[in-house]
Structures are given as structure tokens and as C-alpha cells.
Amino acid sequence: MLGKNIPVKNSLQNGVILAATATQLPVITQLISKESLAAAGTEGFIIRSVNYQGKKIILITANSDIGILYGSFHFLRLLQTQQPVSKLEIISSPSLQLRLLNHWDNLDRYVERGYAGMSIWNWHTLPDYIDLRYKDYARANASIGINGVSLTNVNANAMVLTKAYLAKCAALANIFRPYGIKVYLTARFSAPIEIGNLKTADPLNDTVRQWWNNKAKEIYEAIPDFGGFLVKANSEGQPGPQNYGRDHADGANMLADAVAPYKGIVMWRAFVYSQQSTDRFKQAYEEFKPLDGKFRKNVLVQVKNGPIDFQPREPFSPLFGAMDQIPLMMEFQLTQEYLGQGTHLVYEAPLFKEVLEADTYAKGKGSTVAKVIDGSLYGHSLNGMAGVSNIGNNRNWTGHLFGQANWYALGRLAWNYNLNSEQIADEWIRQTFTNERSFVTTIKKIMLSSHETMVNYMTPLGLHHIMGNGHHYGPAPWSDNLPRPDWNPVYYHQADSFGIGFDRTVRGTNALAQFAPEIRKQYEDINTCDEKYLLWFHHVSWKHKMKSGLTLWEELCAKYYKAVDDIKAIQQQWNSLKNYVDAERFQHVQQLLTIQVKEAIWWRNACLLYFQTFSKMSIPDKYEQPDKSLKYYKSLRFPYAPGN
Ligand code: GCV
């Protein structure tokens, strides 16, 4: 980057790259129009080939230092992916303002649902010891446009808000600042009691409110550009305003008022499920929809992409399109809790795109989820997207090398949600491995098919939440021993002698009524319902004729068997690429694919053998029959599966 005092004139040659803001280099205002600069906005950039003093140079400019950094990273991306750079005409600005990673990292360095080792934050040695990885982390995030990090688990520990820990957070914030990354913290609702010695955490109590005001002041003294709070409240045992007979808006507004003087925000999660409702699907909507309009201006409600919980495939959450008074922020999960955890190659961009492009019909056709979250549908200026981090202290950051692609995809889509999954995969492959065409083509094919393949060997045709209890590892559709019915797989598949699937139509729980009439109509009718969501919304006879002409039972078998064939094909494709990848990375992925194939077979056999006890139909002879019994699959135990 050029500083003010660098003698530009004398150093100019053809092909030189200038990276500067107009303040640093006033001549830029003669080379770039006001309109173009305005279009780049505060964080965006312009990369343009220009003639300057008779020389053809490449100019990277922006309205801010961070814009220059993003522009420089983008230029490097062009070089690394071998794009032509002779005639550049790029103006790029982010689709979304808040582009965040949410770490679920505990203060003891254990990462909830983490499959890449321990937390990269070494709280014990902070703030005095600065691990170089913190800087690498910040640089990697900036290179894909991430501009905020919530450091700790949403199942929060109030200790992170104490003076000693704030100093540690401040040390991280200092490292991240030059990379345009703000620090956010998870606020445990009961912190005033736990670390403030108060008797209550009631959000309408003046002493409690004052405690949070003081806490915010203390945080901003330590971290002047602190972003704000991320909160999980009254969900899965976390304390919240409902403990005091208040609602989510009361809780969020108290925190919002505390950070407002410093321009801080509150991201209040909608991942809640009360015991009252007839269907877990409906619970977030039931709690939050009535509160629309009651939140402060600096609050966003952060909604998981689907109504249940990051399942291999979910319809979009009906909250998108249902609340128009408050900005809704998207929460995707990078860490693969239900997507093969640390051992399955699953490229998530197609999942993200499926959700972002889904039409809510909230304001007629074209009211996509993307337009809800970028604020354009309802005219909100605050907007954002978060990914639950898949990063740990593993040498390759994400445990599975291909997990990096999901981190990359989140950043790229938060910057520009119009990019498609193929483009993003293409960029990532070229920057991670090589530009060699046959390699890029094969890996792209692998990545682009991997999500669908995983859906089909785990939960085809709209099955969901049939994994093992607690650790969520492997299949356990038979499981029915948890105290809450809606924690148990049997609640979700509802298999019986008639058929399988959850009836959410008007004859069932009527969860479909939470969607716009256009969607409801489409899904309500078993004949028009997209088959990929069939068992999400219908209890379907085993003999039901599918579009393929097969019965539901036959189709279920076909999906499971094809998915196993597909993952075996992916394994072979990887094996064919040995000469393009260094031995270490080749073997790493090869070994993980061996596990993935084994586990895909496990899912298929366990699920089909179990569902067969209801359908009483045989697995067609043309398929290789399961070599183990249902009893065997049911007997498997994994007490130390990671991430719980
Ligand atoms: C952080 C699921 C996960 C929990 C997670 C929770 C959440 O229930 O299994 O580990 O807790 O989602 O998103 O809050």
C-alpha cells in the first residue's frame, strides 16, 4: 500500500500496481469518477487498469484502508486463480454489512461441536503471549471479507466479561483491528448475578440495567471498537429474560441500550424451543413473530437457516419473511455437527445457496431469503450473516482440509451472495491446490455433488434429526429415550406400519401455515411438494408412488444405495488425483474418504434395517444386502465422540 510520502512519479512503470485511497493519493480523483468511488462504499474497492502519466498501471483504490486491503486480496485472488489482469474494471462492495464467524469456543479451550482440535484462543497465555496464529487467522479472514468474530460459545460463560478476560479479548482485538475485524462477545444473561453479585438478572430491574451499562462502558474502555453482544437466551438451559417473566425483546433491548452509546449492536438468537408447542418446527416463529416491532434499532435477530437445527437439508426457517420490523441475520453452521462432523467431505456452499435463493413470497414472487437478510426487502440498513466456526488449533485449521472450503464459502457469500457454488469452489481449489485444469474440474465435481450425496446417505427425501443422541454422531433413528420427545429421532420420522414422515400439513401440526400461502400451497399437496422435502411435511405411505414410478420404500432404498455408490465414486476420483497433490494432503483426504464411505454404508444399513421393521418390505435383491444386523447397529456406543 502506498503511503502519502512515497514518490509515485519516479517509481511508475508499465504494469505497476498502485494501491491507495484518494486521500493518500489525490490524483485518484482524476482517474476514478465520484460515482465509482461512491459505488465502492465504505468497505468496497475498485480495481481498474488505467493510463497514468503515459503508463498503463493497475490501480487498486477504495474509500478506506480496509477497502484497499480487501481490494489487494481480491487482486491476489485474480493472480492466484490465473484470471486475466490486463483490462480490469472491477467495483466490488459487500452484500452484507456484518460478516461474522461465531466461535463456539469455551474458556477451557474445548470447542462445542468442534472437530478441529482445541480452541485457537489460548486464554491462559493471553494477553501477554500473542500466538502468531492469531494474526494468520485475522489475515485469512480479511482475505475473504470476514469483518467480525464472536470469540466464545453462545452457551456462554460470564467470566469472559470479567476484567481479566476483557484484557485478553482486547489483546485479540488489537491484532484483528488492522484487518478490519471487530470482536463481539457472548453475553450470559445471568452475568449480573454470577460476576456482579446481584440477586437478579431481570432486564427491567434498574440495578441490573445499570450493571450492564457499566459493563458496556468497561468493555469499550478496553476495546474501543467492540462490536457488541451475541446472545443465546432461554434455550437449552441458558438463562434469559423469561426466567423473570419478561420476553426476548425486553432482554435484547436492555443489552442494546447498554451498547447503543458506543454504536454497538446485539445479535439475539432465535434458536429457542419451548416445551409448549405441538411441533419443534414451529417454536422459534411462535416466540419471535409476536415480538416483531418491539426491538431496539441496534438489535438483529439471528436465525438459523432452517426451523430445526442445521440438518443435512432443511426448508428455510419460516421466520425469514415473517418479521418485517427487525433485521434478521442469517446463521449458518460451518462446523459439521450433523454433516459428517470432522471426517466427511461436504462442501456447504450449495446448502447456503439453496437457502439464500429460496423464495419466501413475503412481498410477492422474488422475495428471496437473501433479500430478507440484506435488508432490501423491508428497508433495513443493518444486516448480516454469521457462520458457526469450524476452526480449531489443528495444523490445517479445520481438521478436514475441505472444511476450509466452507469457511471460504461463508466469507465469499457474505461478501457477494450472488456468487455461485461453482465459482466459489473454483476459486478455492485453485488457491488451495493448483490451477491444473483436469484437477480443478474433478475436484469441483466432487465438491459440488458432495452435499447432495451426504443428504442422501443420511436423511434422504426430507428425513431429519435421526442421528445419535448427544454427540449427534452416526445414525440412531430408533432412539427414543431422551426426556423431551422433540429431542428424539422417533419424534421426527414418525415411522409406523402405514408409512413415514412428519405431517406438518393442516391435517397434522399445520406448521406449513407459518409460510406464505404460495409455499404452503406447494408443500401442502403431496403431489406438488418437492420430494426433497416430502418427509419434512407429510406422513407418507410406504406404497406411495413417487415421481420416479417407484414406491416410497423402493425410492428410499434407491436413494440410500445410490448415495453410497456416489461417495465411492468420489473416493475413486480422489484416488485418481494422486499425482496432483502432495503426499501429505493426498493421504489425509484419502484416509478420511475411507471413513466417509464406511460411515455412509453404516447410515444406509442402519436406517434401512430399522425402517424395514415398519415397512415390512424387503430391500430389493439387486442391492448388496446389509452385512450386519439391526441389533448390531443399535448396540454401537460412542461415549467419547468429539464436540458434545
Ligand atoms: C451451542 C444445537 C447444538 C448445540 C448448540 C445449539 C445452539 O443444539 O447441538 O451444541 O449449542 O445447537 O445453536 O445453540
Side-chain angles (χ1 to χ4, degrees):
M1 211 179 298
L2 274 179
K4 270 185 209 150
N5 305 322
I6 296 180
V8 177
K9 256 191 194 166
N10 301 337
S11 62
L12 268 191
Q13 288 170 19
N14 275 331
V16 152
I17 302 153
L18 278 183
T21 61
T23 322
Q24 290 161 337
L25 198 63
V27 73
I28 283 174
T29 52
Q30 291 166 33
L31 301 170
I32 306 288
S33 70
K34 261 195 201 138
E35 292 72 28
S36 298
L37 279 167
T42 32
E43 289 181 294
F45 56 83
I46 296 171
I47 310 180
R48 194 167 286 174
S49 316
V50 292
N51 285 315
Y52 178 54
Q53 295 177 344
K55 312 280 183 206
K56 230 179 134 197
I57 62 163
I58 294 169
L59 179 64
I60 303 175
T61 191
N63 297 306
S64 62
D65 281 356
I66 191 63
I68 297 287
L69 187 66
Y70 289 146
S72 305
F73 277 125
H74 191 74
F75 184 69
L76 290 174
R77 181 157 40 239
L78 298 179
L79 294 181
Q80 268 192 301
T81 55
Q82 297 187 339
Q83 307 300 306
V85 292
S86 54
K87 279 193 199 136
L88 292 172
E89 270 294 341
I90 299 171
I91 302 184
S92 180
S93 66
S95 305
L96 300 169
Q97 235 176 76
L98 302 162
R99 305 178 297 280
L100 262 58
L101 285 186
N102 288 178
H103 285 257
W104 284 358
D105 297 15
N106 293 331
L107 298 183
D108 62 3
R109 299 192 75 180
Y110 190 74
V111 182
E112 180 150 351
R113 311 304 176 187
Y115 312 102
M118 306 289 276
S119 169
I120 52 170
W121 320 130
N122 189 338
W123 295 107
H124 185 64
T125 55
L126 278 165
D128 301 317
Y129 185 84
I130 302 299
D131 190 326
L132 287 179
R133 276 208 127 180
Y134 303 152
K135 203 165 179 174
D136 292 341
Y137 166 88
R139 194 170 48 234
N141 274 329
S143 76
I144 54 172
I146 300 284
N147 67 357
V149 181
S150 147
L151 297 171
T152 45
N153 195 349
V154 287
N155 290 334
N157 185 335
M159 201 183 288
V160 79
L161 302 175
T162 58
K163 199 167 187 300
Y165 275 84
L166 288 177
K168 297 169 192 279
C169 298
L172 290 173
N174 291 342
I175 298 157
F176 300 163
R177 193 165 297 113
Y179 295 94
I181 296 168
K182 282 188 183 178
V183 157
Y184 297 78
L185 291 174
T186 47
R188 183 158 164 91
F189 204 78
S190 49
I193 302 172
E194 286 153 17
I195 58 168
N197 291 322
L198 301 190
K199 294 249 168 332
T200 174
D202 182 350
L204 300 191
N205 176 296
D206 286 342
T207 319
V208 172
R209 298 177 70 82
Q210 192 53 47
W211 188 87
W212 280 109
N213 292 347
N214 295 345
K215 187 49 74 182
K217 184 164 178 281
E218 186 188 345
I219 297 175
Y220 279 94
E221 274 163 13
I223 312 170
D225 54 354
F226 175 62
F229 293 124
L230 170 65
V231 189
K232 171 175 178 178
N234 293 122
S235 166
E236 301 186 327
Q238 294 301 304
Q242 291 172 354
N243 297 31
Y244 306 95
R246 317 297 182 194
D247 62 29
H248 289 288
D250 295 325
N253 292 344
M254 170 187 66
L255 295 175
D257 290 343
V259 294
Y262 317 94
K263 298 198 168 29
I265 59 159
V266 171
M267 294 162 289
W268 191 269
R269 295 176 84 232
F271 179 70
V272 295
Y273 48 104
S274 66
Q275 220 138 2
Q276 281 82 324
S277 181
T278 50
D279 181 355
R280 159 108 179 255
F281 186 113
K282 302 200 292 189
Q283 293 162 358
Y285 180 104
E286 284 170 347
E287 273 190 48
F288 276 85
K289 166 85 177 147
L291 300 177
D292 202 11
K294 295 198 174 156
F295 292 91
R296 297 280 192 270
K297 289 268 170 284
N298 56 338
V299 178
L300 300 104
V301 170
Q302 184 166 307
V303 184
K304 287 189 182 182
N305 57 275
I308 303 288
D309 190 8
F310 297 138
Q311 293 303 294
R313 165 168 283 131
E314 297 202 31
F316 68 87
S317 163
L319 276 173
F320 296 114
M323 293 175 78
D324 55 3
Q325 304 294 306
I326 175 146
L328 298 185
M329 189 164 165
M330 174 63 76
E331 181 176 311
F332 284 128
Q333 195 184 43
L334 307 181
T335 190
Q336 294 170 229
E337 178 179 358
Y338 304 99
L339 276 63
Q341 305 199 340
T343 50
H344 293 209
L345 188 167
V346 179
Y347 174 52
E348 293 185 81
L351 182 164
F352 302 158
K353 288 290 288 187
E354 189 169 291
V355 178
L356 292 168
E357 286 173 357
D359 200 339
T360 69
Y361 289 91
K363 282 179 126 188
K365 199 168 164 41
S367 308
T368 58
V369 171
K371 287 186 188 162
V372 174
I373 64 158
D374 78 2
S376 60
L377 199 65
Y378 299 120
H380 298 303
S381 51
L382 201 55
N383 57 53
M385 183 193 288
V388 178
S389 157
N390 57 353
I391 297 159
N393 70 348
N394 196 296
R395 276 185 80 182
N396 73 8
W397 296 96
T398 48
H400 197 306
L401 177 64
F402 277 77
Q404 291 180 7
N406 296 332
W407 177 9
Y408 186 83
L410 191 276
R412 296 293 287 136
L413 284 172
W415 184 275
N416 178 3
Y417 61 63
N418 291 317
L419 291 173
N420 65 45
S421 305
E422 184 177 351
Q423 281 167 280
I424 298 170
D426 192 276
E427 286 178 5
W428 181 78
I429 297 163
R430 289 170 187 274
Q431 293 171 96
T432 306
F433 296 103
T434 169
N435 279 285
E436 216 292 323
R437 190 197 295 233
S438 57
F439 180 87
V440 174
T441 310
T442 309
I443 296 291
K444 231 186 323 192
K445 225 167 101 194
I446 289 177
M447 288 171 73
L448 290 173
S449 63
S450 60
H451 173 246
E452 201 61 38
T453 298
M454 179 272 303
V455 167
N456 288 328
Y457 64 67
M458 288 188 184
T459 52
L461 299 172
L463 285 170
H464 51 284
H465 210 290
I466 55 172
M467 66 290 155
N469 288 336
H471 48 57
H472 296 167
Y473 170 64
W478 46 81
S479 184
D480 64 355
N481 57 357
L482 292 178
R484 273 186 70 149
D486 57 1
W487 283 345
N488 288 314
V490 294
Y491 170 93
Y492 293 94
H493 62 68
Q494 314 232 334
D496 57 21
S497 58
F498 169 82
I500 184 170
F502 199 125
D503 187 351
R504 294 190 163 105
T505 69
V506 72
R507 292 170 301 281
T509 65
N510 204 17
L512 275 169
Q514 294 183 340
F515 288 112
E518 289 86 342
I519 300 193
R520 192 190 321 167
K521 199 165 149 242
Q522 192 196 332
Y523 291 160
E524 183 88 32
D525 181 344
I526 197 167
N527 297 309
T528 57
C529 181
D530 189 333
E531 287 184 349
K532 63 187 182 202
Y533 298 122
L534 189 65
L535 306 180
W536 266 99
F537 297 118
H538 294 272
H539 190 66
V540 184
S541 157
W542 296 112
K543 294 185 190 139
H544 172 78
K545 269 260 175 313
M546 302 291 288
K547 295 204 173 84
S548 61
L550 300 175
T551 64
L552 172 65
W553 170 253
E554 289 163 346
E555 181 91 359
L556 204 59
C557 294
K559 288 275 181 203
Y560 272 117
Y561 273 87
K562 178 170 183 312
V564 169
D565 289 347
D566 290 346
I567 191 62
K568 285 182 178 166
I570 284 179
Q571 184 182 37
Q572 275 167 14
Q573 284 156 13
W574 178 260
N575 287 341
S576 74
L577 298 171
K578 189 168 182 185
N579 295 337
Y580 297 97
V581 196
D582 54 273
E584 193 183 332
R585 289 192 292 178
F586 178 76
Q587 279 159 20
H588 162 80
V589 176
Q590 189 182 45
Q591 291 181 63
L592 290 172
L593 280 168
T594 307
I595 296 177
Q596 189 168 355
V597 167
K598 203 165 124 191
E599 294 189 350
I601 295 171
W602 170 30
W603 270 91
R604 179 196 72 192
N605 291 354
C607 291
L608 285 177
L609 287 172
Y610 169 72
F611 292 136
Q612 191 179 41
T613 64
F614 300 96
S615 77
K616 309 279 187 227
M617 294 171 178
S618 57
I619 297 172
D621 287 345
K622 62 179 174 182
Y623 300 126
E624 175 189 80
Q625 299 296 303
D627 58 348
K628 306 244 175 18
S629 66
L630 179 58
K631 193 166 165 226
Y632 164 81
Y633 290 116
K634 282 185 166 180
S635 73
L636 298 176
R637 294 287 176 277
F638 306 95
Y640 302 115
N644 199 352

